[in-house]
């Protein structure tokens, strides 16, 4: 039998009252009881099951911390995909745990032994969060890393923010904080490239041109693009000139003059031609008629 704990930081203090045992001592006591009792008391986990539970707990703690730290600005997919993969692997280890008997079935003990089913609830929460964030659309097929298009977008996004910051600080130094013409002029091409890449990635995620059949991009890319657009349009009050200005003006002008053309053509076609009157020969004089009558009388 283990001797009673002595006074100290983890023992019984004479003047300070009773102190709690540390977590390490509790685990050692539980392991010792399992070793003495063989199969363990009812509700106790075998050592192999406890090892699986600890592995799932550690990976869950790392993933939870990563999700919270990456909440704003949103960096969930690019920062936490390794932790999410680790949690998935730990859960798979539990579900395919060795042992078919009811006493050593770790999956049954950890996943179905009580009505709370905390391991199941946590795994469902992580899967739901990952699915809602659409992180799979920013990762490779095997989820081992970010896709090439996502890497290119994030690099161009960082370049755009650096351009904003560099030109904005330059104007602030020149005591023109409210005029953002330098930002609009110097960062216009970079912003247009980022916007074009984002639109291209949107088309790649869908099976057709219809927006209803498109799958949303991962939350990291969407949040980055939203931040960039707010800075460009609201903070700096910039705008990108349309590249199809000439065709748009031509079509608009044609539509504007359509009523004029219509009424003019209607007027020309409705104008009646001048009638050419054919005058009949004048009737012979009265004297001629008298002579004709006398001739045949």
């Amino acid at each position: 039998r283990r001797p009673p704990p002595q006074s100290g930081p983890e023992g019984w203090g004479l003047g300070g009252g009773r102190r709690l045992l540390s977590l390490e001592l509790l685990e050692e006591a539980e392991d010792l009881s399992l070793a003495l009792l063989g199969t363990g008391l009812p509700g106790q986990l075998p050592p192999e099951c406890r090892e699986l539970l600890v592995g799932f707990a550690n990976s869950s703690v790392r993933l939870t911390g990563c999700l919270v730290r990456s909440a704003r600005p949103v960096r969930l997919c690019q920062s936490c995909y390794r932790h999410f993969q680790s949690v998935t692997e730990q859960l798979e280890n539990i579900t395919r745990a060795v042992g078919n008997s009811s006493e050593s079935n770790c999956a049954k003990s950890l996943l179905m032994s009580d009505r709370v089913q905390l391991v199941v609830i946590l795994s469902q929460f992580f899967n739901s969060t990952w699915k809602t964030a659409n992180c799979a659309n920013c990762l490779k097929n095997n989820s081992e890393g970010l896709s090439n298009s996502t890497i290119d977008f994030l690099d161009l996004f960082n370049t755009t923010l650096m351009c904003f910051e560099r030109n904005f600080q330059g104007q602030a130094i020149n005591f023109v904080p409210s005029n953002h013409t330098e930002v609009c002029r110097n960062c216009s091409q970079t912003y247009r490239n980022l916007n074009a890449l984002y639109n291209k990635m949107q088309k790649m995620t869908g099976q057709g041109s219809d927006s209803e059949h498109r799958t949303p991009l991962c939350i990291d890319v969407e949040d980055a693009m939203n931040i960039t657009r707010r800075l460009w349009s609201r903070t700096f009050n910039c705008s990108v000139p349309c590249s199809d200005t000439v065709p748009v003006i031509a079509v608009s002008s044609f539509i504007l003059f359509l009523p004029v053309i219509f009424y003019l053509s209607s007027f020309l076609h409705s104008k009646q031609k001048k009638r050419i009157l054919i005058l009949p020969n004048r009737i012979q004089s009265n004297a001629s008629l008298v002579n004709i009558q006398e001739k045949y009388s």
Side-chain angles (χ1 to χ4, degrees):
R1 179 179 299 178
R2 181 177 298 181
Q6 303 296 326
S7 60
E10 297 177 351
W12 298 78
L14 297 177
R18 183 177 296 179
R19 296 178 180 271
L20 295 177
L21 293 175
S22 65
L23 181 60
E24 291 80 3
L25 291 179
L26 288 176
E27 292 180 352
E28 290 180 1
E30 187 172 288
D31 294 340
L32 179 60
S33 64
L34 291 175
L36 293 176
L37 295 176
T39 58
L41 296 174
Q44 299 290 343
L45 287 176
E48 62 272 14
C49 297
R50 173 161 295 279
E51 183 178 355
L52 293 173
L53 182 61
V54 171
F56 179 81
N58 293 334
S59 60
S60 300
V61 169
R62 289 190 293 267
L63 178 58
T64 303
C66 182
L67 293 176
V68 175
R69 290 191 300 269
S70 305
R72 180 55 56 192
V74 182
R75 299 293 185 269
L76 302 182
C77 305
Q78 57 186 301
S79 301
C80 307
Y81 70 91
R82 291 188 179 89
H83 301 307
F84 178 78
Q85 190 175 10
S86 176
V87 170
T88 304
E89 293 175 354
Q90 293 295 334
L91 184 63
E92 291 177 354
N93 293 335
I94 293 175
T95 56
R96 62 168 183 262
V98 179
N100 297 323
S101 61
S102 58
E103 293 82 9
S104 61
N105 193 339
C106 297
K108 182 178 180 180
S109 300
L110 297 177
L111 303 179
M112 299 177 292
S113 61
D114 56 78
R115 65 181 179 86
V116 177
Q117 298 181 2
L118 191 58
V119 174
V120 177
I121 292 177
L122 285 176
S123 62
Q124 290 177 350
F125 166 75
F126 291 139
N127 290 330
S128 176
T129 303
W130 203 252
K131 184 178 181 181
T132 303
N134 292 300
C135 290
N137 293 334
C138 285
L139 302 175
K140 297 178 180 179
N141 294 332
N142 51 7
S143 299
E144 292 182 354
L146 297 176
S147 61
N148 295 331
S149 58
T150 304
I151 294 175
D152 295 339
F153 177 85
L154 294 177
D155 291 340
L156 190 55
F157 167 70
N158 293 329
T159 303
T160 306
L161 292 185
M162 290 175 60
C163 183
F164 288 170
E165 183 179 4
R166 181 171 59 252
N167 289 274
F168 179 75
Q169 290 180 350
Q171 289 182 340
I173 293 176
N174 295 328
F175 302 101
V176 194
S178 60
N179 187 7
H180 306 303
T181 55
E182 294 292 332
V183 177
C184 301
R185 180 173 61 252
N186 297 333
C187 303
S188 175
Q189 188 60 43
T190 305
Y191 174 78
R192 293 176 64 178
N193 293 338
L194 181 67
N195 199 48
L197 180 57
Y198 178 79
N199 294 333
K200 180 180 178 181
M201 293 175 65
Q202 276 189 321
K203 294 179 180 179
M204 291 173 59
T205 57
Q207 298 178 355
S209 58
D210 191 358
S211 60
E212 295 181 356
H213 298 285
R214 292 181 182 176
T215 304
L217 295 173
C218 70
I219 190 63
D220 293 24
V221 174
E222 289 184 346
D223 185 72
M225 195 68 231
N226 290 336
I227 290 175
T228 309
R229 286 175 174 174
R230 284 196 299 266
L231 288 173
W232 180 261
S233 59
R234 297 181 183 180
T235 304
F236 303 127
N237 197 21
C238 300
S239 61
V240 178
C242 182
S243 59
D244 300 329
T245 304
V246 176
V248 169
I249 294 177
V251 173
S252 302
S253 302
F254 175 75
I255 295 176
L256 181 64
F257 282 99
L258 274 179
V260 179
I261 298 173
F262 173 76
Y263 286 113
L264 182 61
S265 61
S266 300
F267 174 76
L268 293 176
H269 285 284
S270 63
K271 184 179 181 182
Q272 297 180 355
K273 296 182 179 180
K274 293 181 179 181
R275 293 181 178 178
I276 302 175
L277 299 178
I278 302 176
L279 298 176
N281 294 331
R282 291 184 179 182
I283 301 177
Q284 296 178 354
S285 62
N286 295 333
S288 299
L289 292 176
V290 171
N291 292 333
I292 293 174
Q293 291 177 356
E294 289 180 352
K295 183 179 179 180
Y296 292 98
S297 63

